[in-house]
Amino acid sequence: MFLISCRYSWRHQLREFKSEYRVVALDLRGYGETDAPVHRENYKLDCLITDIKDILDSLGYSKCVLIGHDWGGMIAWLIAICYPEMVMKLIVINFPHPNVFTEYILRHPAQLFKSSYYYFFQIPWFPEFMFSINDFKRTTHEEMRDYECQVREFDISRRGSPWR
């Protein structure tokens, strides 16, 4: 079983799933203790998808149950599309199928606004600038869940701010 997103966010599920599965929770590039390549091209979807495939191969598995949440869910969809032979079961939390997502945004422009945080982080240097305004301290947002704050605090405490 592969869990994609930020491994800290899977800590409770790891305890539950490990009794019946071999479970691997992954940090995506730049999260936790992973390498954080400097160049943006290292974060293209092709690279992120290949990372997961290569890790699965290196562990000696040809198939897995793949679970992804949020951005990890989008990557899980793309892995299942690009490498269907590697995915026995796919569970995606909080991200629709990429084709459905694209079609929905085209018909419902308000969804583009609701999903704007995905695009915000794709703009070169702008996210870093925005976070630097508050000296890279955590900002509060009423929609941010407690565990998301914990994940970010854990990540920053392990490596320092990813935006510096």
Side-chain angles (χ1 to χ4, degrees):
M1 178 177 293
F2 268 63
L3 306 168
I4 305 172
S5 187
C6 174
R7 69 184 168 147
Y8 181 78
S9 64
W10 296 110
R11 66 195 181 285
H12 302 296
Q13 291 81 4
L14 285 168
R15 285 187 217 120
E16 181 66 30
F17 292 144
K18 73 179 183 180
S19 64
E20 295 184 38
Y21 297 92
R22 177 169 184 202
V23 184
V24 178
L26 301 173
D27 284 331
L28 296 172
R29 286 182 186 209
Y31 287 88
E33 297 178 27
T34 65
D35 290 340
V38 177
H39 301 291
R40 283 194 333 255
E41 60 269 6
N42 292 307
Y43 296 92
K44 288 184 176 181
L45 289 173
D46 290 346
C47 293
L48 300 175
I49 294 166
T50 301
D51 284 349
I52 306 303
K53 180 188 179 304
D54 290 348
I55 291 168
L56 186 64
D57 288 341
S58 71
L59 292 173
Y61 291 99
S62 59
K63 294 183 178 196
C64 70
V65 174
L66 186 60
I67 303 174
H69 172 258
D70 200 41
W71 187 246
M74 193 265 304
I75 293 169
W77 274 118
L78 295 175
I79 292 167
I81 291 167
C82 295
Y83 302 103
E85 70 282 359
M86 296 182 80
V87 180
M88 293 178 356
K89 292 182 182 180
L90 175 66
I91 301 167
V92 176
I93 305 162
N94 201 27
F95 202 93
H97 186 282
N99 291 344
V100 171
F101 183 64
T102 301
E103 290 173 18
Y104 192 83
I105 281 181
L106 293 174
R107 289 191 321 255
H108 301 88
Q111 183 61 48
L112 184 63
F113 177 74
K114 292 175 183 177
S115 301
S116 63
Y117 73 99
Y118 280 109
Y119 306 107
F120 170 78
F121 288 104
Q122 302 302 311
I123 302 169
W125 309 116
F126 188 66
E128 291 85 351
F129 170 74
M130 294 302 291
F131 284 105
S132 72
I133 291 172
N134 195 26
D135 196 28
F136 298 96
K137 293 185 177 101
R138 183 183 86 193
T139 58
T140 58
H141 189 279
E142 60 189 37
E143 292 179 10
M144 184 178 279
R145 295 178 207 95
D146 287 340
Y147 82 90
E148 290 173 325
C149 294
Q150 292 172 9
V151 168
R152 286 177 177 84
E153 287 173 352
F154 174 78
D155 193 32
I156 289 170
S157 72
R158 301 285 297 218
R159 185 202 301 249
S161 174
W163 301 289
R164 288 194 188 233

